Amino acid sequence: MSNKRGLVEAFIVATHLIFTIMIEPEMPGIVFGTSGLGNLYKVLSERSKIEIIGECIKHSPETPFFDTAGKYGAGLALESLGIGLKAAGVNPDEVVISNKLGWLQTNLSTVEPTFEPGVWKDLKHDAIQQISYEGILACYHQGNRLLNGYKAEWVSVHDPDEYLYASNDDTEKRYHDIMEAYRALYELKEAGKVKAVGVGAKDWRVIQKISSDVRLDWIMIANSMTIHSHPAELVRFMEQMQEQGVVIINSAIFNGGFLTGLDYYNYKPVSPASSPELYHWRESMYAICEKFHVRPEVVCVAFGQKAPGVKSIALNTTNVHRVQKNIEMIKLSVPQALWAALVSEGLMDASYAQQYLLD
């Protein structure tokens, strides 16, 4: 294992020396998430997906930016995105695509996919996690093939937290695999095949660990910086990333749909019986939103945008009529009195609100 540690340390030094020039892209306020194109929670027809992508293109105020992943529907989201962009007549240089890598499409040999059972509906393929030097390159090339004429210019390692924690016995080896994946991604960047390298994860602490070893261009924080959950340690980390010029995309700001009324919290099924405190919090938050005549999703978006260092909010929808509303939503403001009411009811951290939300 000492040799492997030496390789990791050498790579860490190299990335800090070679990739010190950070990208400063003109990020749009909204990044279009594509998990719904992979049949997250429900099945969408191909026609519906084409219409959704068309609306994103039609109403995007800037160059459309789509975030996708091989994990989304075991590659289905990638395929659907490519089909939809082509149907909309979009040239490859008129769109930016981020592909979070680490899951490889495979044949389906069981009744339902083996990854995240119960979440993805009516899939024709399965997916396996492939985080290593060769594995991440395989995911990159497969992703571009599935995009069918389009390619990802922004890439990252997807769910390194899940990979790292999958076993308690070989975390050192697994972290070495993650570092090797980044070695591959930075080789792609050095060769001019991609423009930006980042990370997307649900556990922000793993993002923090990786960022201390790899000079990242961007990070996507999922499920973590939301109106329901915004720990002080995460806030400090985001402040540090902001100081370093790292682009932050805030994703899953509805905690996997729970804050907009679904019975999933961070993509896991919940119920009033199993999680009464969650439902009580949501009911209380909804009551305050109703008092101020502001929709809960608007409050969630406004909160997510105001977090330190956040350049874009990733929003996903399975409803074609929601696309334009989502784009308009990022421009809406929330009354100061509403934030104060959330603090008063104990639904939000008071010190955070004072620093970032209240004048």
Side-chain angles (χ1 to χ4, degrees):
M1 188 62 70
S2 59
N3 289 337
K4 291 180 179 179
R5 181 180 290 124
L7 287 172
V8 171
E9 290 173 351
F11 170 63
I12 289 169
V13 171
T15 55
H16 278 284
L17 290 176
I18 297 173
F19 303 108
T20 55
I21 300 176
M22 301 299 293
I23 60 164
E24 293 185 3
E26 296 182 4
M27 289 292 296
I30 182 172
V31 167
F32 298 114
T34 61
S35 56
L37 303 182
N39 290 354
L40 177 68
Y41 302 146
K42 62 184 291 186
V43 177
L44 289 183
S45 68
E46 182 174 298
R47 179 179 178 82
S48 294
K49 294 175 185 181
I50 289 174
E51 290 176 348
I52 288 171
I53 294 167
E55 283 292 287
C56 292
I57 300 299
K58 178 181 177 181
H59 296 290
S60 182
E62 298 141 304
T63 300
F65 192 123
F66 290 89
D67 174 72
T68 189
K71 187 179 186 181
Y72 296 162
L76 178 60
L78 287 158
E79 293 178 287
S80 299
L81 180 57
I83 292 170
L85 290 174
K86 190 156 292 186
V90 178
N91 292 325
D93 59 354
E94 295 175 342
V95 63
V96 178
I97 298 174
S98 160
N99 190 6
K100 300 191 295 291
L101 307 168
W103 291 85
L104 194 71
Q105 184 186 83
T106 61
N107 293 327
L108 182 64
S109 59
T110 52
V111 176
E112 67 172 347
T114 57
F115 74 104
E116 294 185 331
V119 175
W120 307 96
K121 306 300 182 182
D122 194 28
L123 300 187
K124 303 298 186 293
H125 294 91
D126 206 341
I128 56 172
Q129 198 167 39
Q130 294 285 292
I131 296 181
S132 64
Y133 179 88
E134 295 293 342
I136 218 73
L137 289 177
C139 293
Y140 167 74
H141 293 300
Q142 184 187 74
N144 285 346
R145 287 196 302 272
L146 293 174
L147 284 168
N148 191 25
Y150 299 87
K151 69 174 186 175
E153 294 182 315
W154 286 41
V155 293
S156 64
V157 177
H158 195 194
D159 295 333
D161 45 346
E162 293 181 11
Y163 182 76
L164 191 62
Y165 298 148
S167 172
N168 294 325
D169 298 329
D170 58 354
T171 53
E172 185 176 357
K173 176 190 177 300
R174 286 174 175 267
Y175 193 69
H176 170 76
D177 292 341
I178 294 170
M179 291 294 100
E180 283 291 284
Y182 277 105
R183 182 166 69 88
L185 294 184
Y186 273 108
E187 286 180 2
L188 291 174
K189 183 181 178 183
E190 189 176 17
K193 295 181 179 180
V194 302
K195 293 182 178 179
V197 175
V199 61
K202 299 181 183 72
D203 188 338
W204 67 268
R205 294 174 183 83
V206 173
I207 297 178
Q208 183 181 45
K209 178 176 176 61
I210 291 171
S211 70
S212 68
D213 292 333
V214 178
R215 187 73 167 177
L216 298 169
D217 296 318
W218 63 280
I219 62 176
M220 175 176 280
I221 297 174
N223 295 337
S224 301
M225 177 50 66
T226 74
I227 194 170
H228 179 256
S229 175
H230 41 278
E233 298 87 351
L234 172 57
V235 175
R236 286 194 291 271
F237 170 60
M238 294 175 73
E239 291 170 343
Q240 292 169 1
M241 292 293 95
Q242 182 178 27
E243 291 172 0
Q244 294 176 22
V246 178
V247 170
I248 300 177
I249 301 173
N250 200 0
S251 176
I253 58 171
F254 306 124
N255 286 112
F258 182 78
L259 300 185
T260 56
L262 297 182
D263 292 320
Y264 289 88
Y265 185 83
N266 293 349
Y267 304 106
K268 296 180 180 179
V270 291
S271 68
S274 66
S275 306
E277 69 288 347
L278 278 179
Y279 283 82
H280 175 72
W281 187 97
R282 187 171 72 181
E283 290 169 3
S284 300
M285 183 261 204
Y286 279 13
I288 291 175
C289 292
E290 184 176 359
K291 177 181 177 181
F292 287 91
H293 308 289
V294 182
R295 300 195 311 275
E297 61 268 27
V298 172
V299 176
C300 293
V301 168
F303 179 92
Q305 286 179 303
K306 290 178 177 293
V310 171
K311 297 294 185 183
S312 298
I313 297 291
L315 294 178
N316 175 64
T317 184
T318 55
N319 184 344
V320 66
H321 302 295
R322 284 290 323 167
V323 174
Q324 185 175 3
K325 293 178 181 179
N326 283 349
I327 295 171
E328 294 171 348
M329 189 162 54
I330 66 172
K331 303 175 184 177
L332 300 178
S333 60
V334 170
Q336 294 272 297
L338 188 150
W339 301 127
L342 290 170
V343 171
S344 177
E345 292 297 317
L347 302 178
M348 182 190 298
D349 181 77
S351 59
Y352 178 86
Q354 190 64 46
Q355 182 175 1
Y356 286 104
L357 300 172
L358 301 173
D359 294 333

